[in-house]
Amino acid sequence: MESLRSLTSFGVTKTETMSKLRIAIQKSGRLYDDSISLLKECGIELRNVKDRLKTESDNFPLEVFFLRDDDIPQYVEDGVADIGIVGQNVLYEKCKETEIIERLDFGKCRLALAINKNEEYVANYLQGKKIATSYPILLQKYLDENKITAEIHEISGSVEIAPGIGLADVICDLVSSGSTLFMNGLKEVETVLESQAVLVRNKDLNEEQLKWVDKLLFRIRSVKKAKRNKYILLNAPNNQLPRIFELLPGMRSPTVLPLAEEGWSSVHSVLSEDEFWEKIEQLKAAGAQGILVVPIEKMII
Ligand code: PRT
Ligand code: ZN
């Protein structure tokens, strides 16, 4: 009901036929900047995004709704928005009927259990304890799966102070760098969920909407791929080229250009971030010199 009422604030009703794809993103908070940047990197220009409830693009048929992250799964399930960007932690806590179509590689964090740093974390430690959290559903699922009986105290914010004020023995909260836990004298003992921002979609999109979702997905995947890869240029003596080709397969195979100096070539290729440092060492050992590494903006394969 709530979401239907709020609908009027967008001037949109469910029955209206929308030709544009509607995406829900966080209005402000940790996912906002990355969500806007992702759309920009996908070449989607948005009209004035500051302090707006919604905006649209002039160069892609996309309308953007700015919402609290907690409301996004419901809006997408109801079909008020066709797609949305939200953390897996929120999505799973809300248990909505939406489909994850892409993991977005930002907003990474984990839902974790933490205890007083001076306590020893022994087997069965959690049995019978009081646990404070804003994620009662995910926590209960974890406790059931691990056959732990504990008392859940649901609180909406500042979970990390609960042990200090005697409200709970244990907390279950989101952690990224771990500094909040550290500053509150807590230590992480279990991971309940690994989370990141994901793109979700309503389950009943029509053909036209699916076509635009596919176009957007294609762009998102190209941006993600480019971020995970680097363009590499190096010089090498010709007699070392076979070894260097083994190390640098490239997208199809490396590009090789002769240098002005006889017996030397310039090799251009693409390297994945995961194996980057290891490969650089091997390339140097194989005689590569003057190695240049540059970012890639888009990668279309
Ligand atoms: O207003 P709205 O309801 O939209 O926003 P919100 O305040 O509920 O959420 P917000 O903006 O704080 O977070 C949005 C999403 O970002 C979360 O649902 C997660 O998916 C993701 N995310 C990633 C995080 C963190 N990292 C994170 N570190 N969300 C919250 N935190 C908090 C955490 O709760 C704890 O208080 O940061 C603190 C811990 O951080 P570290 O770095 O000290 O460990
Ligand atoms: Zn929220």
Side-chain angles (χ1 to χ4, degrees):
M1 234 10 245
E2 180 54 38
S3 56
L4 285 178
R5 236 180 288 125
S6 332
L7 260 185
T8 51
S9 62
F10 292 126
V12 175
T13 67
K14 231 164 122 183
T15 47
E16 264 180 39
T17 321
M18 301 291 299
S19 54
K20 292 193 173 197
L21 193 66
R22 297 155 304 173
I23 186 170
I25 67 170
Q26 198 188 18
K27 183 172 166 49
S28 63
R30 289 169 189 263
L31 303 183
Y32 173 82
D33 286 340
D34 285 326
S35 302
I36 292 287
S37 302
L38 179 65
L39 294 177
K40 266 200 192 131
E41 286 162 341
C42 287
I44 297 171
E45 287 160 21
L46 297 177
R47 284 187 211 158
N48 186 14
V49 293
K50 281 267 168 272
D51 305 322
R52 301 279 298 270
L53 283 178
K54 66 168 187 163
T55 188
E56 53 195 344
S57 170
D58 289 325
N59 65 352
F60 195 91
L62 189 74
E63 203 168 0
V64 184
F65 297 162
F66 298 103
L67 300 168
R68 284 201 59 199
D69 65 347
D70 314 69
D71 295 332
I72 291 175
Q74 183 72 56
Y75 275 79
V76 175
E77 182 182 271
D78 289 349
V80 176
D82 305 312
I83 54 177
I85 295 179
V86 68
Q88 283 166 297
N89 50 305
V90 170
L91 184 70
Y92 296 149
E93 183 66 22
K94 302 282 175 191
C95 305
K96 294 298 169 200
E97 288 287 307
T98 58
E99 193 184 323
I100 294 183
I101 47 175
E102 190 69 10
R103 288 176 168 69
L104 298 174
D105 288 350
F106 63 81
K108 287 191 177 171
C109 57
R110 53 204 178 271
L111 185 63
L113 292 168
I115 64 171
N116 187 306
K117 73 173 188 327
N118 300 318
E119 292 263 327
E120 198 184 340
Y121 185 62
V122 291
N124 293 323
Y125 180 93
L126 298 168
Q127 286 296 352
K129 292 282 195 296
K130 281 187 195 167
I131 311 179
T133 190
S134 312
Y135 292 89
I137 307 261
L138 285 170
L139 175 57
Q140 189 62 60
K141 191 162 167 272
Y142 172 86
L143 295 175
D144 292 346
E145 279 167 9
N146 291 280
K147 301 189 173 46
I148 298 164
T149 308
E151 204 181 306
I152 298 179
H153 277 252
E154 184 178 348
I155 50 178
S156 58
S158 303
V159 177
E160 64 281 356
I161 64 167
I165 58 172
L167 186 70
D169 315 297
V170 180
I171 68 159
C172 172
D173 198 13
L174 297 176
V175 181
S176 45
S177 68
S179 59
T180 303
L181 291 185
F182 180 78
M183 284 188 304
N184 285 279
L186 300 167
K187 65 178 176 189
E188 203 173 330
V189 291
E190 299 286 352
T191 300
V192 173
L193 177 81
E194 293 281 355
S195 179
Q196 62 175 288
V198 289
L199 184 69
V200 290
R201 77 164 175 87
N202 174 278
K203 289 208 154 159
D204 306 310
L205 297 187
N206 64 34
E207 237 172 77
E208 174 76 3
Q209 291 166 318
L210 285 173
K211 186 185 88 184
W212 287 107
V213 170
D214 277 350
K215 282 183 192 282
L216 179 62
L217 257 184
F218 175 74
R219 294 189 188 191
I220 290 176
R221 288 178 180 153
S222 302
V223 170
K224 274 178 62 184
K225 230 172 248 149
K227 281 190 183 158
R228 277 197 242 113
N229 289 278
K230 301 273 180 256
Y231 193 73
I232 178 166
L233 305 92
L234 57 87
N235 297 330
N238 289 346
N239 61 2
Q240 285 298 99
L241 290 182
R243 170 69 186 134
I244 287 181
F245 295 164
E246 272 172 39
L247 292 167
L248 283 182
M251 282 164 78
R252 184 175 293 274
S253 71
T255 307
V256 184
L257 301 167
L259 288 190
E261 186 179 335
E262 186 99 0
W264 282 75
S265 296
S266 169
V267 180
H268 300 198
S269 189
V270 170
L271 248 190
S272 137
E273 190 102 295
D274 310 331
E275 48 178 13
F276 182 76
W277 288 110
E278 201 185 324
K279 281 280 169 84
I280 293 286
E281 280 171 24
Q282 293 169 337
L283 287 165
K284 281 178 74 182
Q289 294 182 9
I291 303 174
L292 292 181
V293 178
V294 288
I296 300 172
E297 197 181 297
K298 309 274 186 304
M299 206 165 143
I300 320 288
I301 297 186

